[in-house]
DNA sequence: CTTGGGACCTGGCTGC
DNA sequence: TGCAGCCAGGTCCCAA
Protein backbone atom coordinates (compact mmCIF):
# COMPACT_ATOMS: atom_id res chain seq x y z
CA UNK A 1 0.00 0.00 0.00
CA UNK A 2 1.50 3.34 -0.90
CA UNK A 3 2.36 5.20 2.29
CA UNK A 4 4.87 8.03 2.76
CA UNK A 5 7.99 6.08 1.67
CA UNK A 6 6.29 4.70 -1.44
CA UNK A 7 4.86 8.07 -2.52
CA UNK A 8 8.22 9.73 -1.80
CA UNK A 9 9.92 7.16 -4.04
CA UNK A 10 7.40 7.69 -6.84
CA UNK A 11 7.87 11.46 -6.53
CA UNK A 12 11.67 11.17 -6.64
CA UNK A 13 11.62 8.87 -9.66
CA UNK A 14 9.04 10.82 -11.71
CA UNK A 15 10.39 14.29 -10.95
CA UNK A 16 13.22 14.33 -13.54
CA UNK A 17 10.79 13.17 -16.24
CA UNK A 18 8.06 15.74 -15.67
CA UNK A 19 9.72 18.90 -14.34
CA UNK A 20 9.52 21.64 -16.95
CA UNK A 21 7.35 19.53 -19.27
CA UNK A 22 3.83 20.35 -20.43
CA UNK A 23 0.82 18.06 -20.67
CA UNK A 24 0.07 17.28 -24.33
CA UNK A 25 -2.74 14.74 -23.92
CA UNK A 26 -4.87 13.65 -20.97
CA UNK A 27 -7.24 10.69 -21.18
CA UNK A 28 -9.64 9.57 -18.47
CA UNK A 29 -10.72 5.94 -18.74
CA UNK A 30 -12.58 5.87 -15.42
CA UNK A 31 -14.54 9.07 -14.69
CA UNK A 32 -14.87 8.05 -11.05
CA UNK A 33 -11.21 8.83 -10.44
CA UNK A 34 -11.60 12.56 -11.10
CA UNK A 35 -12.83 14.93 -8.39
CA UNK A 36 -13.46 18.68 -8.55
CA UNK A 37 -14.07 18.83 -12.31
CA UNK A 38 -16.21 17.09 -14.86
CA UNK A 39 -14.58 14.38 -16.90
CA UNK A 40 -14.83 16.52 -20.03
CA UNK A 41 -13.41 19.68 -18.49
CA UNK A 42 -10.53 17.98 -16.73
CA UNK A 43 -8.35 17.05 -19.74
CA UNK A 44 -9.11 20.36 -21.46
CA UNK A 45 -8.05 22.33 -18.40
CA UNK A 46 -4.85 20.35 -17.96
CA UNK A 47 -3.53 20.14 -21.53
CA UNK A 48 -0.77 22.69 -22.31
CA UNK A 49 -0.13 23.34 -18.64
CA UNK A 50 3.54 23.18 -17.64
CA UNK A 51 4.78 21.31 -14.55
CA UNK A 52 7.03 23.50 -12.43
CA UNK A 53 7.63 20.97 -9.68
CA UNK A 54 6.48 17.69 -8.21
CA UNK A 55 6.07 17.34 -4.46
CA UNK A 56 4.81 14.89 -1.89
CA UNK A 57 2.56 15.90 1.00
CA UNK A 58 1.60 13.00 3.26
CA UNK A 59 0.49 10.30 0.85
CA UNK A 60 -0.51 12.83 -1.82
CA UNK A 61 1.46 13.60 -4.97
CA UNK A 62 1.27 17.27 -6.00
CA UNK A 63 2.10 18.57 -9.49
CA UNK A 64 2.70 22.31 -9.16
CA UNK A 65 1.67 23.92 -12.44
CA UNK A 66 2.98 27.15 -13.94
CA UNK A 67 -0.58 28.52 -13.79
CA UNK A 68 -0.40 28.08 -9.98
CA UNK A 69 -3.10 25.43 -10.22
CA UNK A 70 -2.22 22.03 -8.80
CA UNK A 71 -2.82 18.50 -10.08
CA UNK A 72 -3.06 16.20 -7.07
CA UNK A 73 -3.10 12.41 -7.05
CA UNK A 74 -3.78 9.88 -4.30
CA UNK A 75 -3.04 6.20 -4.95
CA UNK A 76 -5.08 4.92 -1.97
CA UNK A 77 -4.72 1.14 -1.67
CA UNK A 78 -3.77 -0.23 -5.07
CA UNK A 79 -2.91 2.71 -7.31
CA UNK A 80 0.33 2.74 -9.28
CA UNK A 81 1.89 5.29 -11.63
CA UNK A 82 3.66 3.65 -14.56
CA UNK A 83 6.15 5.42 -16.82
CA UNK A 84 5.82 4.53 -20.51
CA UNK A 85 4.05 1.18 -20.06
CA UNK A 86 4.23 -0.94 -23.19
CA UNK A 87 0.61 -1.97 -22.81
CA UNK A 88 -2.38 -0.75 -20.82
CA UNK A 89 -3.84 -3.29 -18.43
CA UNK A 90 -7.56 -3.36 -17.68
CA UNK A 91 -6.96 -1.29 -14.54
CA UNK A 92 -5.70 1.83 -16.36
CA UNK A 93 -7.82 4.74 -15.07
CA UNK A 94 -6.08 7.74 -16.65
CA UNK A 95 -3.14 8.47 -18.97
CA UNK A 96 -1.02 11.62 -19.18
CA UNK A 97 1.26 12.43 -22.12
CA UNK A 98 3.97 15.10 -21.88
CA UNK A 99 5.90 17.36 -24.24
CA UNK A 100 9.01 15.16 -23.95
CA UNK A 101 6.97 12.23 -25.32
CA UNK A 102 6.77 10.33 -22.05
CA UNK A 103 3.51 8.94 -20.77
CA UNK A 104 2.38 8.29 -17.21
CA UNK A 105 -0.51 5.88 -16.63
CA UNK A 106 -2.51 5.83 -13.38
CA UNK A 107 -3.54 2.19 -12.92
CA UNK A 108 -5.69 1.14 -9.96
CA UNK A 109 -7.16 -2.29 -9.37
CA UNK A 110 -9.62 -1.26 -6.68
CA UNK A 111 -10.74 2.09 -8.09
CA UNK A 112 -10.23 3.95 -4.81
CA UNK A 113 -7.57 6.29 -6.21
CA UNK A 114 -8.34 9.95 -6.78
CA UNK A 115 -7.19 12.90 -8.90
CA UNK A 116 -7.93 16.57 -8.34
CA UNK A 117 -7.25 19.72 -10.35
CA UNK A 118 -7.48 22.59 -7.90
CA UNK A 119 -6.65 26.26 -7.63
CA UNK A 120 -4.93 25.70 -4.32
CA UNK A 121 -3.36 22.62 -2.77
CA UNK A 122 -4.82 23.48 0.63
CA UNK A 123 -8.28 22.68 -0.72
CA UNK A 124 -7.18 19.03 -0.82
CA UNK A 125 -4.28 18.64 1.63
CA UNK A 126 -4.89 21.60 3.94
CA UNK A 127 -5.99 19.55 6.92
CA UNK A 128 -3.00 17.22 6.99
CA UNK A 129 -0.81 17.12 10.07
CA UNK A 130 2.93 17.83 10.00
CA UNK A 131 5.39 15.98 7.79
CA UNK A 132 7.14 13.50 10.09
CA UNK A 133 10.48 13.91 8.29
CA UNK A 134 10.47 17.71 8.34
CA UNK A 135 12.48 19.84 10.75
CA UNK A 136 9.18 21.10 12.20
CA UNK A 137 8.37 17.63 13.49
CA UNK A 138 10.26 18.01 16.75
CA UNK A 139 10.03 15.88 19.85
CA UNK A 140 8.01 18.67 21.51
CA UNK A 141 5.66 18.85 18.52
CA UNK A 142 4.96 15.12 18.79
CA UNK A 143 4.52 15.28 22.56
CA UNK A 144 2.03 18.17 22.31
CA UNK A 145 0.10 16.39 19.60
CA UNK A 146 -0.17 13.12 21.53
CA UNK A 147 -1.17 14.63 24.87
CA UNK A 148 -4.37 15.99 23.35
CA UNK A 149 -5.68 12.60 22.27
CA UNK A 150 -7.16 9.82 24.36
CA UNK A 151 -7.05 7.33 21.48
CA UNK A 152 -4.92 4.22 20.86
CA UNK A 153 -1.42 5.26 19.80
CA UNK A 154 -1.84 3.17 16.66
CA UNK A 155 -4.93 5.21 15.72
CA UNK A 156 -3.02 8.43 16.36
CA UNK A 157 -0.09 7.42 14.15
CA UNK A 158 -2.30 6.65 11.16
CA UNK A 159 -4.57 9.70 11.58
CA UNK A 160 -3.47 11.92 8.68
CA UNK A 161 -4.74 15.03 10.44
CA UNK A 162 -2.31 14.39 13.31
CA UNK A 163 0.75 13.20 11.36
CA UNK A 164 0.82 13.01 7.55
CA UNK A 165 1.96 9.94 5.66
CA UNK A 166 2.06 7.03 8.11
CA UNK A 167 -0.26 4.15 7.21
CA UNK A 168 -1.10 0.80 8.69
CA UNK A 169 2.05 -1.19 7.96
CA UNK A 170 4.61 1.46 8.90
CA UNK A 171 2.67 2.29 12.07
CA UNK A 172 3.03 -1.35 13.13
CA UNK A 173 6.77 -1.34 12.35
CA UNK A 174 7.27 1.95 14.22
CA UNK A 175 5.43 0.72 17.33
CA UNK A 176 7.38 -2.53 17.31
CA UNK A 177 10.68 -0.65 17.05
CA UNK A 178 9.58 1.62 19.92
CA UNK A 179 8.30 -1.37 21.96
CA UNK A 180 4.88 0.25 22.44
CA UNK A 181 1.62 -1.75 22.36
CA UNK A 182 -0.74 -0.43 19.63
CA UNK A 183 -3.62 -0.06 22.11
CA UNK A 184 -1.73 2.16 24.59
CA UNK A 185 -3.47 5.53 24.86
CA UNK A 186 -1.67 8.33 23.02
CA UNK A 187 -1.83 10.67 25.99
CA UNK A 188 -0.59 8.04 28.44
CA UNK A 189 2.86 7.51 26.93
CA UNK A 190 5.80 8.45 29.14
CA UNK A 191 8.25 11.17 28.02
CA UNK A 192 10.84 8.46 27.43
CA UNK A 193 8.45 6.47 25.26
CA UNK A 194 7.58 9.57 23.22
CA UNK A 195 11.28 10.25 22.71
CA UNK A 196 11.87 6.71 21.46
CA UNK A 197 8.72 6.85 19.33
CA UNK A 198 9.87 10.11 17.74
CA UNK A 199 13.21 8.56 16.81
CA UNK A 200 11.59 5.36 15.52
CA UNK A 201 9.13 7.25 13.29
CA UNK A 202 12.01 8.93 11.50
CA UNK A 203 14.26 5.87 11.37
CA UNK A 204 11.59 3.52 10.02
CA UNK A 205 10.41 5.98 7.37
CA UNK A 206 13.92 6.97 6.24
CA UNK A 207 14.98 3.35 6.07
CA UNK A 208 11.95 2.51 3.92
CA UNK A 209 12.66 5.44 1.59
CA UNK A 210 16.24 4.20 1.21
CA UNK A 211 14.78 0.81 0.21
CA UNK A 212 12.49 2.56 -2.32
CA UNK A 213 9.34 1.53 -0.49
CA UNK A 214 7.75 -1.82 0.30
CA UNK A 215 6.48 -3.95 -2.59
CA UNK A 216 3.67 -5.69 -0.76
CA UNK A 217 0.27 -5.81 -2.45
CA UNK A 218 0.44 -3.99 -5.80
CA UNK A 219 3.10 -1.34 -5.14
CA UNK A 220 5.65 -1.04 -7.90
CA UNK A 221 7.89 1.88 -8.89
CA UNK A 222 7.17 3.94 -12.05
CA UNK A 223 9.80 2.07 -14.08
CA UNK A 224 8.54 -1.27 -12.74
CA UNK A 225 11.28 -2.04 -10.25
CA UNK A 226 10.14 -3.25 -6.85
CA UNK A 227 10.94 -1.71 -3.49
CA UNK A 228 12.59 -3.83 -0.80
CA UNK A 229 11.49 -2.25 2.49
CA UNK A 230 9.22 -5.24 3.18
CA UNK A 231 12.31 -7.44 3.60
CA UNK A 232 13.04 -5.59 6.85
CA UNK A 233 9.51 -5.86 8.26
CA UNK A 234 9.46 -7.38 11.74
CA UNK A 235 5.71 -7.51 12.42
CA UNK A 236 3.76 -5.97 9.52
CA UNK A 237 2.11 -8.79 7.56
CA UNK A 238 3.94 -11.30 9.78
CA UNK A 239 0.92 -12.81 11.59
CA UNK A 240 1.75 -16.22 13.04
CA UNK A 241 5.48 -15.75 12.55
CA UNK A 242 7.88 -15.39 15.45
CA UNK A 243 9.18 -12.13 16.90
CA UNK A 244 12.79 -11.73 15.70
CA UNK A 245 13.76 -10.37 19.12
CA UNK A 246 12.19 -12.83 21.56
CA UNK A 247 10.59 -15.61 19.52
CA UNK A 248 7.03 -14.97 20.71
CA UNK A 249 4.26 -15.42 18.11
CA UNK A 250 3.28 -12.17 16.42
CA UNK A 251 -0.29 -11.30 17.42
CA UNK A 252 -3.01 -9.44 15.55
CA UNK A 253 -5.51 -7.07 17.13
CA UNK A 254 -8.08 -4.74 15.54
CA UNK A 255 -7.50 -1.03 16.15
CA UNK A 256 -10.09 1.22 14.52
CA UNK A 257 -11.00 -1.68 12.27
CA UNK A 258 -7.41 -2.03 11.05
CA UNK A 259 -5.41 -5.21 11.51
CA UNK A 260 -2.51 -4.38 13.83
CA UNK A 261 0.45 -6.72 14.24
CA UNK A 262 2.65 -6.68 17.34
CA UNK A 263 4.74 -8.79 19.70
CA UNK A 264 2.85 -9.22 23.00
CA UNK A 265 6.13 -9.77 24.84
CA UNK A 266 8.20 -6.89 23.43
CA UNK A 267 5.18 -4.53 23.36
CA UNK A 268 3.32 -5.15 26.65
CA UNK A 269 0.00 -3.38 27.25
CA UNK A 270 0.78 -2.61 30.90
C1' DC B 1 -15.29 18.44 19.84
C1' DT B 2 -13.86 13.63 20.34
C1' DT B 3 -14.06 8.99 19.17
C1' DG B 4 -15.51 4.82 16.83
C1' DG B 5 -17.59 2.36 13.15
C1' DG B 6 -19.30 1.68 8.42
C1' DA B 7 -19.02 2.60 3.30
C1' DC B 8 -16.49 2.66 -0.72
C1' DC B 9 -13.89 -0.67 -3.93
C1' DT B 10 -12.34 -5.48 -6.02
C1' DG B 11 -9.04 -9.45 -6.10
C1' DG B 12 -7.59 -13.14 -3.32
C1' DC B 13 -8.32 -16.28 0.14
C1' DT B 14 -11.09 -19.47 3.27
C1' DG B 15 -14.33 -22.79 4.24
C1' DC B 16 -18.40 -25.34 3.32
C1' DT C 1 -14.50 -28.07 -7.95
C1' DG C 2 -17.67 -24.04 -7.12
C1' DC C 3 -18.90 -20.30 -4.92
C1' DA C 4 -20.53 -17.31 -1.02
C1' DG C 5 -18.58 -14.47 2.06
C1' DC C 6 -14.86 -12.38 4.37
C1' DC C 7 -10.62 -9.60 4.35
C1' DA C 8 -7.27 -6.02 2.95
C1' DG C 9 -6.81 -0.50 4.49
C1' DG C 10 -6.80 5.10 2.96
C1' DT C 11 -10.12 8.31 3.48
C1' DC C 12 -14.69 10.23 3.93
C1' DC C 13 -18.98 10.42 6.35
C1' DC C 14 -22.08 9.89 10.07
C1' DA C 15 -23.62 8.86 14.76
C1' DA C 16 -23.15 8.66 19.78
Amino acid sequence: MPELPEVETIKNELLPWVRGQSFTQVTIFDPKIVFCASTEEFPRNLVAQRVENLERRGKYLIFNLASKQVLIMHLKMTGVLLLNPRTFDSYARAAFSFSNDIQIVFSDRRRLGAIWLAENADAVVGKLGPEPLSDDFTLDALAQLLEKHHIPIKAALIDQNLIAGIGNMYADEILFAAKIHPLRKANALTPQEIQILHRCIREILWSAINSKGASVSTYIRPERQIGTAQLAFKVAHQYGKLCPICGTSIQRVLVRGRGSYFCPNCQPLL
Side-chain angles (χ1 to χ4, degrees):
Chain A
M1 342 277 150
E3 302 182 21
L4 185 153
E6 287 74 32
V7 182
E8 178 72 11
T9 299
I10 292 167
K11 182 265 289 177
N12 289 339
E13 298 188 348
L14 285 181
L15 177 60
W17 295 98
V18 302
R19 182 156 55 190
Q21 305 299 325
S22 301
F23 291 91
T24 54
Q25 189 175 3
V26 175
T27 310
I28 303 298
F29 304 111
D30 180 5
K32 229 187 134 290
I33 200 173
V34 177
F35 291 69
C36 302
S38 83
T39 311
E40 294 140 26
E41 287 169 359
F42 177 84
R44 197 170 64 232
N45 291 340
L46 195 51
V47 163
Q49 294 226 45
R50 190 168 61 85
V51 179
E52 284 198 328
N53 204 359
L54 180 60
E55 299 181 299
R56 178 194 57 75
R57 179 79 173 93
K59 303 171 191 169
Y60 293 80
L61 204 54
I62 304 177
F63 293 75
N64 291 300
L65 305 172
S67 66
K68 302 308 172 193
Q69 287 187 311
V70 286
L71 173 68
I72 301 183
M73 300 181 181
H74 196 302
L75 301 171
K76 296 288 178 74
M77 303 293 299
T78 54
V80 293
L81 290 177
L82 300 175
L83 179 70
N84 297 329
R86 288 198 201 94
T87 56
F88 285 20
D89 60 29
S90 60
Y91 305 121
R93 308 298 177 195
F96 304 86
S97 298
F98 291 83
S99 45
N100 55 351
D101 290 332
I102 67 154
Q103 186 177 48
I104 294 173
V105 174
F106 190 136
S107 182
D108 183 11
R109 203 167 66 181
R110 281 172 59 184
R111 302 180 71 202
L112 291 166
I115 299 175
W116 298 260
L117 183 60
E119 300 300 323
N120 186 328
D122 276 352
V124 179
V125 300
K127 289 184 176 174
L128 292 179
E131 283 294 321
L133 298 179
S134 75
D135 292 341
D136 298 339
F137 189 70
T138 60
L139 176 57
D140 280 350
L142 176 62
Q144 286 181 29
L145 187 146
L146 294 181
E147 76 182 3
K148 285 185 287 194
H149 295 279
H150 187 70
I151 58 176
I153 183 62
K154 169 72 183 284
L157 287 181
I158 64 175
D159 185 333
Q160 302 302 296
N161 297 332
L162 298 186
I163 306 170
I166 300 173
N168 202 46
M169 66 187 179
Y170 289 110
D172 284 353
E173 288 301 310
I174 289 164
L175 289 174
F176 176 79
K179 300 187 187 297
I180 297 171
H181 191 289
L183 287 173
R184 294 276 307 283
K185 297 297 188 220
N187 62 354
L189 298 186
T190 67
Q192 278 140 315
E193 285 174 324
I194 296 174
Q195 191 167 17
I196 295 167
L197 181 64
H198 181 259
R199 179 166 50 77
C200 290
I201 288 172
R202 293 184 179 248
E203 285 180 359
I204 294 287
L205 294 178
W206 271 123
S207 169
I209 290 171
N210 288 334
S211 299
K212 313 292 186 191
S215 281
V216 297
S217 181
T218 59
Y219 169 71
I220 193 164
R221 290 152 58 195
E223 297 177 74
R224 292 195 130 76
Q225 306 102 316
I226 62 168
T228 56
Q230 74 282 3
L231 301 178
F233 283 177
K234 308 289 199 298
V235 290
H237 302 105
Q238 310 294 309
Y239 183 59
K241 295 187 186 170
L242 302 181
C243 169
I245 303 294
C246 72
T248 304
S249 284
I250 301 301
Q251 297 294 306
R252 178 179 183 270
V253 66
L254 278 186
V255 183
R256 287 281 190 101
R258 296 293 170 257
S260 301
Y261 300 87
F262 68 104
C263 170
N265 184 47
C266 294
Q267 299 163 267
L269 189 48
L270 296 175

